[in-house]
Amino acid sequence: MAAAATVFLLLLPLLLASTASAVAGGKKSTHIKLYWHDVVSGPNPTAVPVARAAVTNTSKTAFGAVVVIDDPLTQGPNLKSSKPLGRAQGTYIGAGKDELSLMMNMNFVFQAGKYNGSTIAIMGRNAAFNAVREMAIVGGTGVFRMARGYAQARTHTLDIKTGDATVEYNLYIKH
């Protein structure tokens, strides 16, 4: 009996450590701040409309529009001088009939730095004129395999004439 108690006392710290890890999900938390550049103008756009609904209010809300993107992701807000981090590849769809609200479906593909080769999958509603928008992180690959979390988007610049936009993204990732 004394031997069993001794073994139990020796193994107790290991048991507690593994239980704490299981309770916490054994997951790491990562915060990444980057800038998403949606270029719809000029000779080399990174966002291309592929469909548009024949509805009278589409000019106000983009309802029914489907846009395919391959947008640059950078460390800072200036597309020309900031360090490139990767690409945002996917689609956004005009899903709001009465307001500009986009359904975002995109992968952030990291092509530089410590996350090179990894991806984050983002999906959710983006009410583009709200100061802060929140979308779900629904998965990832590489370093971010099995990721969950959320992305907060804040418009940094929007050129009303061209439609080009730079958006600050803060990613809060559990992986």
PDB file of all heavy atoms in Angstrom, residues 21-38:
ATOM      1  N   SER A  21      -3.139  20.558 -19.638  1.00  0.00           N
ATOM      2  CA  SER A  21      -2.957  20.698 -21.087  1.00  0.00           C
ATOM      3  C   SER A  21      -4.219  20.294 -21.828  1.00  0.00           C
ATOM      4  O   SER A  21      -4.619  20.948 -22.784  1.00  0.00           O
ATOM      5  CB  SER A  21      -1.776  19.837 -21.545  1.00  0.00           C
ATOM      6  OG  SER A  21      -1.634  19.917 -22.931  1.00  0.00           O
ATOM      7  N   ALA A  22      -4.877  19.240 -21.399  1.00  0.00           N
ATOM      8  CA  ALA A  22      -6.103  18.788 -22.052  1.00  0.00           C
ATOM      9  C   ALA A  22      -7.227  19.797 -21.850  1.00  0.00           C
ATOM     10  O   ALA A  22      -7.996  20.079 -22.765  1.00  0.00           O
ATOM     11  CB  ALA A  22      -6.521  17.421 -21.503  1.00  0.00           C
ATOM     12  N   VAL A  23      -7.312  20.388 -20.662  1.00  0.00           N
ATOM     13  CA  VAL A  23      -8.346  21.382 -20.384  1.00  0.00           C
ATOM     14  C   VAL A  23      -8.133  22.615 -21.255  1.00  0.00           C
ATOM     15  O   VAL A  23      -9.052  23.177 -21.817  1.00  0.00           O
ATOM     16  CB  VAL A  23      -8.356  21.759 -18.882  1.00  0.00           C
ATOM     17  CG1 VAL A  23      -9.212  22.982 -18.628  1.00  0.00           C
ATOM     18  CG2 VAL A  23      -8.847  20.584 -18.056  1.00  0.00           C
ATOM     19  N   ALA A  24      -6.885  23.040 -21.394  1.00  0.00           N
ATOM     20  CA  ALA A  24      -6.583  24.216 -22.206  1.00  0.00           C
ATOM     21  C   ALA A  24      -6.632  23.881 -23.691  1.00  0.00           C
ATOM     22  O   ALA A  24      -6.477  24.754 -24.528  1.00  0.00           O
ATOM     23  CB  ALA A  24      -5.218  24.761 -21.837  1.00  0.00           C
ATOM     24  N   GLY A  25      -6.819  22.620 -24.016  1.00  0.00           N
ATOM     25  CA  GLY A  25      -6.870  22.213 -25.410  1.00  0.00           C
ATOM     26  C   GLY A  25      -5.483  22.015 -25.987  1.00  0.00           C
ATOM     27  O   GLY A  25      -5.332  21.697 -27.146  1.00  0.00           O
ATOM     28  N   GLY A  26      -4.456  22.226 -25.183  1.00  0.00           N
ATOM     29  CA  GLY A  26      -3.102  22.059 -25.669  1.00  0.00           C
ATOM     30  C   GLY A  26      -2.813  22.984 -26.841  1.00  0.00           C
ATOM     31  O   GLY A  26      -2.005  22.683 -27.691  1.00  0.00           O
ATOM     32  N   LYS A  27      -3.504  24.111 -26.911  1.00  0.00           N
ATOM     33  CA  LYS A  27      -3.388  24.994 -28.068  1.00  0.00           C
ATOM     34  C   LYS A  27      -2.566  26.223 -27.743  1.00  0.00           C
ATOM     35  O   LYS A  27      -2.559  26.718 -26.636  1.00  0.00           O
ATOM     36  CB  LYS A  27      -4.776  25.410 -28.553  1.00  0.00           C
ATOM     37  CG  LYS A  27      -5.559  24.244 -29.122  1.00  0.00           C
ATOM     38  CD  LYS A  27      -6.814  24.724 -29.804  1.00  0.00           C
ATOM     39  CE  LYS A  27      -7.543  23.563 -30.413  1.00  0.00           C
ATOM     40  NZ  LYS A  27      -7.660  23.661 -31.821  1.00  0.00           N
ATOM     41  N   LYS A  28      -1.904  26.688 -28.787  1.00  0.00           N
ATOM     42  CA  LYS A  28      -1.108  27.903 -28.712  1.00  0.00           C
ATOM     43  C   LYS A  28      -1.960  29.067 -29.214  1.00  0.00           C
ATOM     44  O   LYS A  28      -2.787  28.887 -30.102  1.00  0.00           O
ATOM     45  CB  LYS A  28       0.113  27.720 -29.607  1.00  0.00           C
ATOM     46  CG  LYS A  28       1.059  28.872 -29.642  1.00  0.00           C
ATOM     47  CD  LYS A  28       2.248  28.535 -30.540  1.00  0.00           C
ATOM     48  CE  LYS A  28       3.129  29.750 -30.663  1.00  0.00           C
ATOM     49  NZ  LYS A  28       4.245  29.512 -31.568  1.00  0.00           N
ATOM     50  N   SER A  29      -1.760  30.250 -28.665  1.00  0.00           N
ATOM     51  CA  SER A  29      -2.442  31.455 -29.137  1.00  0.00           C
ATOM     52  C   SER A  29      -1.459  32.314 -29.911  1.00  0.00           C
ATOM     53  O   SER A  29      -0.350  32.552 -29.449  1.00  0.00           O
ATOM     54  CB  SER A  29      -2.989  32.262 -27.970  1.00  0.00           C
ATOM     55  OG  SER A  29      -4.028  31.563 -27.332  1.00  0.00           O
ATOM     56  N   THR A  30      -1.892  32.785 -31.084  1.00  0.00           N
ATOM     57  CA  THR A  30      -1.054  33.642 -31.921  1.00  0.00           C
ATOM     58  C   THR A  30      -1.868  34.842 -32.374  1.00  0.00           C
ATOM     59  O   THR A  30      -3.028  34.693 -32.765  1.00  0.00           O
ATOM     60  CB  THR A  30      -0.546  32.860 -33.159  1.00  0.00           C
ATOM     61  OG1 THR A  30       0.229  31.742 -32.713  1.00  0.00           O
ATOM     62  CG2 THR A  30       0.299  33.740 -34.067  1.00  0.00           C
ATOM     63  N   HIS A  31      -1.261  36.023 -32.324  1.00  0.00           N
ATOM     64  CA  HIS A  31      -1.875  37.248 -32.848  1.00  0.00           C
ATOM     65  C   HIS A  31      -1.011  37.736 -34.006  1.00  0.00           C
ATOM     66  O   HIS A  31       0.210  37.865 -33.868  1.00  0.00           O
ATOM     67  CB  HIS A  31      -1.971  38.322 -31.771  1.00  0.00           C
ATOM     68  CG  HIS A  31      -2.378  39.655 -32.317  1.00  0.00           C
ATOM     69  ND1 HIS A  31      -1.599  40.772 -32.200  1.00  0.00           N
ATOM     70  CD2 HIS A  31      -3.480  40.056 -33.007  1.00  0.00           C
ATOM     71  CE1 HIS A  31      -2.189  41.801 -32.781  1.00  0.00           C
ATOM     72  NE2 HIS A  31      -3.335  41.385 -33.284  1.00  0.00           N
ATOM     73  N   ILE A  32      -1.632  37.973 -35.150  1.00  0.00           N
ATOM     74  CA  ILE A  32      -0.928  38.494 -36.322  1.00  0.00           C
ATOM     75  C   ILE A  32      -1.671  39.734 -36.810  1.00  0.00           C
ATOM     76  O   ILE A  32      -2.884  39.694 -37.008  1.00  0.00           O
ATOM     77  CB  ILE A  32      -0.876  37.455 -37.469  1.00  0.00           C
ATOM     78  CG1 ILE A  32      -0.175  36.185 -37.012  1.00  0.00           C
ATOM     79  CG2 ILE A  32      -0.198  38.053 -38.704  1.00  0.00           C
ATOM     80  CD1 ILE A  32      -0.270  35.041 -38.000  1.00  0.00           C
ATOM     81  N   LYS A  33      -0.920  40.808 -37.012  1.00  0.00           N
ATOM     82  CA  LYS A  33      -1.480  42.027 -37.612  1.00  0.00           C
ATOM     83  C   LYS A  33      -0.863  42.165 -38.994  1.00  0.00           C
ATOM     84  O   LYS A  33       0.359  42.094 -39.147  1.00  0.00           O
ATOM     85  CB  LYS A  33      -1.155  43.243 -36.753  1.00  0.00           C
ATOM     86  CG  LYS A  33      -1.654  44.551 -37.330  1.00  0.00           C
ATOM     87  CD  LYS A  33      -1.268  45.703 -36.414  1.00  0.00           C
ATOM     88  CE  LYS A  33      -1.624  47.039 -36.995  1.00  0.00           C
ATOM     89  NZ  LYS A  33      -1.267  48.135 -36.081  1.00  0.00           N
ATOM     90  N   LEU A  34      -1.718  42.348 -40.012  1.00  0.00           N
ATOM     91  CA  LEU A  34      -1.241  42.519 -41.373  1.00  0.00           C
ATOM     92  C   LEU A  34      -2.223  43.371 -42.164  1.00  0.00           C
ATOM     93  O   LEU A  34      -3.282  43.743 -41.655  1.00  0.00           O
ATOM     94  CB  LEU A  34      -1.002  41.161 -42.045  1.00  0.00           C
ATOM     95  CG  LEU A  34      -2.117  40.109 -42.019  1.00  0.00           C
ATOM     96  CD1 LEU A  34      -3.232  40.422 -42.981  1.00  0.00           C
ATOM     97  CD2 LEU A  34      -1.532  38.766 -42.352  1.00  0.00           C
ATOM     98  N   TYR A  35      -1.850  43.682 -43.394  1.00  0.00           N
ATOM     99  CA  TYR A  35      -2.689  44.541 -44.242  1.00  0.00           C
ATOM    100  C   TYR A  35      -3.039  43.806 -45.531  1.00  0.00           C
ATOM    101  O   TYR A  35      -2.180  43.191 -46.166  1.00  0.00           O
ATOM    102  CB  TYR A  35      -1.974  45.869 -44.526  1.00  0.00           C
ATOM    103  CG  TYR A  35      -1.870  46.699 -43.281  1.00  0.00           C
ATOM    104  CD1 TYR A  35      -0.838  46.497 -42.370  1.00  0.00           C
ATOM    105  CD2 TYR A  35      -2.839  47.645 -42.974  1.00  0.00           C
ATOM    106  CE1 TYR A  35      -0.760  47.236 -41.208  1.00  0.00           C
ATOM    107  CE2 TYR A  35      -2.772  48.388 -41.804  1.00  0.00           C
ATOM    108  CZ  TYR A  35      -1.730  48.167 -40.934  1.00  0.00           C
ATOM    109  OH  TYR A  35      -1.667  48.896 -39.768  1.00  0.00           O
ATOM    110  N   TRP A  36      -4.311  43.893 -45.889  1.00  0.00           N
ATOM    111  CA  TRP A  36      -4.933  43.250 -47.054  1.00  0.00           C
ATOM    112  C   TRP A  36      -5.191  44.350 -48.070  1.00  0.00           C
ATOM    113  O   TRP A  36      -5.782  45.376 -47.735  1.00  0.00           O
ATOM    114  CB  TRP A  36      -6.210  42.619 -46.546  1.00  0.00           C
ATOM    115  CG  TRP A  36      -7.166  41.936 -47.431  1.00  0.00           C
ATOM    116  CD1 TRP A  36      -7.189  40.608 -47.739  1.00  0.00           C
ATOM    117  CD2 TRP A  36      -8.352  42.488 -48.048  1.00  0.00           C
ATOM    118  NE1 TRP A  36      -8.292  40.319 -48.505  1.00  0.00           N
ATOM    119  CE2 TRP A  36      -9.011  41.463 -48.708  1.00  0.00           C
ATOM    120  CE3 TRP A  36      -8.893  43.779 -48.089  1.00  0.00           C
ATOM    121  CZ2 TRP A  36     -10.189  41.658 -49.410  1.00  0.00           C
ATOM    122  CZ3 TRP A  36     -10.066  43.980 -48.794  1.00  0.00           C
ATOM    123  CH2 TRP A  36     -10.697  42.923 -49.449  1.00  0.00           C
ATOM    124  N   HIS A  37      -4.701  44.155 -49.293  1.00  0.00           N
ATOM    125  CA  HIS A  37      -4.815  45.178 -50.328  1.00  0.00           C
ATOM    126  C   HIS A  37      -5.714  44.669 -51.453  1.00  0.00           C
ATOM    127  O   HIS A  37      -5.320  43.773 -52.200  1.00  0.00           O
ATOM    128  CB  HIS A  37      -3.430  45.530 -50.881  1.00  0.00           C
ATOM    129  CG  HIS A  37      -2.483  46.001 -49.821  1.00  0.00           C
ATOM    130  ND1 HIS A  37      -2.423  47.313 -49.417  1.00  0.00           N
ATOM    131  CD2 HIS A  37      -1.579  45.325 -49.066  1.00  0.00           C
ATOM    132  CE1 HIS A  37      -1.512  47.435 -48.472  1.00  0.00           C
ATOM    133  NE2 HIS A  37      -0.988  46.241 -48.233  1.00  0.00           N
ATOM    134  N   ASP A  38      -6.892  45.240 -51.577  1.00  0.00           N
ATOM    135  CA  ASP A  38      -7.864  44.866 -52.603  1.00  0.00           C
ATOM    136  C   ASP A  38      -7.743  45.881 -53.739  1.00  0.00           C
ATOM    137  O   ASP A  38      -8.179  47.023 -53.603  1.00  0.00           O
ATOM    138  CB  ASP A  38      -9.265  44.882 -52.000  1.00  0.00           C
ATOM    139  CG  ASP A  38     -10.285  44.115 -52.820  1.00  0.00           C
ATOM    140  OD1 ASP A  38      -9.969  42.992 -53.248  1.00  0.00           O
ATOM    141  OD2 ASP A  38     -11.394  44.639 -53.005  1.00  0.00           O
TER     142      ASP A  38
END
